Amino acid sequence: MYAQMVDTGANKVRGLEEMSAQERAFQERIDAGIKIEPKDWMPEAYRKTLIRQISQHAHSEIVGMLPEGNWISRAPSLKRKAILLAKVQDEAGHGLYLYSAAETLGVSRDQLVDELHAGRAKYSSIFNYPTLTWADIGTIGWLVDGAAIMNQIPLCRCSFGPYSRAMIRVCKEESFHQRQGYDLLISLCRDGTAEQKAMAQDALNRWWWPALMMFGPSDAESVHSAQSQAWRIKIFSNDELRQRFVDQTVPQAEYLGLTIPDPDLKWNAERGHYDFGAIDWDEFYNVLKGNGPCNRERLRARRQAWEDGAWVRDAAIAHAEKRAARTAQAA
Amino acid sequence: MKKEWPLWEVFIRSQHGLAHKHVGSTHAPDAEMAIKNARDVYTRRNEGVSIWVVKSADVVASSPGDKEALFEPAQDKIYRHPTFFPVPEEVKHM
């Protein structure tokens, strides 16, 4: 997902009887559905895991602006350009909501950005794929934002107040992202030429599997996932969310007249779900290691934007300090 | 030089007649820029007609440890709510 394979530092999930009184009281509050707020006592591992998860999520929003930003100046009409601009601006906003949520846990935004630029913090694997055609923009909205919504709606109910509030805000806006993407694909597939539909099919062929990988490898056996679920900062398992995503998306592809690139995809009446083929996890781990098609380009673009903006940040603060000093002197 | 822009808390009044409500925070070098950034980050969809910003460092908050001392005294004073008092059937409206 936008945060993939988050390390909780846990070796096993401990029972209430193995916890200190303070930890037990904390866990019981979470079990009772009471939100944890920044000034409340929390175990150090909970705090650290949340910083890791929320910042990964924030970095994904910011890096995610790059593949789409690539098409702002090449959108085929003024209407589509205005929509894409608004969407990319939303992603910046989502990144900022999330950095603020992380900051309530006692880190600064600059620290988090440094971690990203140093290659120590992760962001979602999906943004390391290139946007080769205009149909990719529709497909990203439809699949990538669709998958993000699957994950983010349950997170609105997560245990940490600031994260949950940021998610509520994000979810309100995210639905526009998915719909504009699907609307773009309707134009290409149902109202467009054979060439336009072929372009959409090509985009789906390239994005389908990376979109399924967004949910991360099966975590049925993962201690980190179990710990995150106990803390209610993860609500459903990766496989559950992926299955829901496939079930929801197949009919949408059918409406567009597109074929999902999976020969094993088939409705299973007994399970009441679609069965689907095996995911190439070697590709996923390779992208995570930094060897996807665009990893280096994405980080380079982020670092350069940060460095090129340094003089603006410095000048703004110098100006503010000078004015404050003058006001103090006049008083 | 490396100095982070300070953090500001943002309050938005959604429509005329309602109170400002805390919506989140933003970084900015000064108050003027804080209002501009708050506008871009928190009002892209007509969420507000007025913005307040205040330096996060200037916010004074109650501590979770004081919760009982501060709020428990209100819990046993149920007579402060109108529903505590039965209204006779015969009296139609009150």
Side-chain angles (χ1 to χ4, degrees), chain A residues 90 103 110 173 313 321, chain B residues 3-5 27 44-45:
Chain A
D90 274 355
E103 284 186 284
D110 281 9
E173 299 177 351
R313 294 191 300 275
E321 280 172 357
Chain B
K3 203 164 188 183
E4 193 163 0
W5 288 357
H27 283 275
R44 290 192 303 281
R45 288 178 176 74

Side-chain angles (χ1 to χ4, degrees), chain A residues 39-40 89-90 93-94 96-97 100 103 108-110 114 169 173 176 306 313-314 316-317 320-321 323, chain B residues 1-7 23 25-27 29-30 32 40-42 44-45 47 61-64 67:
Chain A
K39 291 182 91 183
D40 293 335
Q89 194 192 8
D90 274 355
H94 297 179
L96 293 175
Y97 305 154
S100 315
E103 284 186 284
S108 78
R109 188 172 77 190
D110 281 9
D114 280 347
R169 194 168 270 283
E173 299 177 351
F176 145 61
W306 184 253
R313 294 191 300 275
D314 290 346
I317 201 105
E321 280 172 357
R323 281 215 308 195
Chain B
M1 188 169 101
K2 190 166 158 71
K3 203 164 188 183
E4 193 163 0
W5 288 357
L7 196 64
V23 293
S25 51
T26 186
H27 283 275
D30 57 29
E32 207 180 320
D40 288 345
V41 178
Y42 294 104
R44 290 192 303 281
R45 288 178 176 74
E47 287 92 339
S62 65
S63 105
K67 209 168 81 187

